[in-house]
Amino acid sequence: MITLHLERRAVAPAAVVGAADWRVSTSPEPRRTGWTLHGHGGPPRPAGPIDDATLVALMAAADRVIVW
């Protein structure tokens, strides 16, 4: 599984994943592909499956992307 931590600098980091940071991950299931946006941090779109274009837009809106 890959997790992308999309950091937003407007909020001082209080933890590894800040309260306003967004999280995107792949599924740990080998048969499932694609990305999932988590509801953490109040992302600009509803949580759930997202396509590559939406991932790129979220990454462009973030100040920094951390891959775990």
Side-chain angles (χ1 to χ4, degrees):
M1 173 170 52
I2 297 171
T3 298
L4 299 179
H5 171 172
L6 307 179
E7 185 176 271
R8 298 175 65 207
R9 291 187 188 187
V11 177
V16 173
V17 178
D21 294 346
W22 308 323
R23 286 184 54 236
V24 176
S25 65
T26 60
S27 174
E29 301 173 27
R31 291 176 292 197
R32 186 170 168 222
T33 60
W35 299 99
T36 300
L37 175 65
H38 301 270
H40 185 274
R45 57 162 286 133
I50 59 173
D51 59 17
D52 292 342
T54 303
L55 174 63
V56 170
L58 289 169
M59 291 171 66
D63 295 310
R64 179 169 49 182
V65 177
I66 300 168
V67 179
W68 298 54

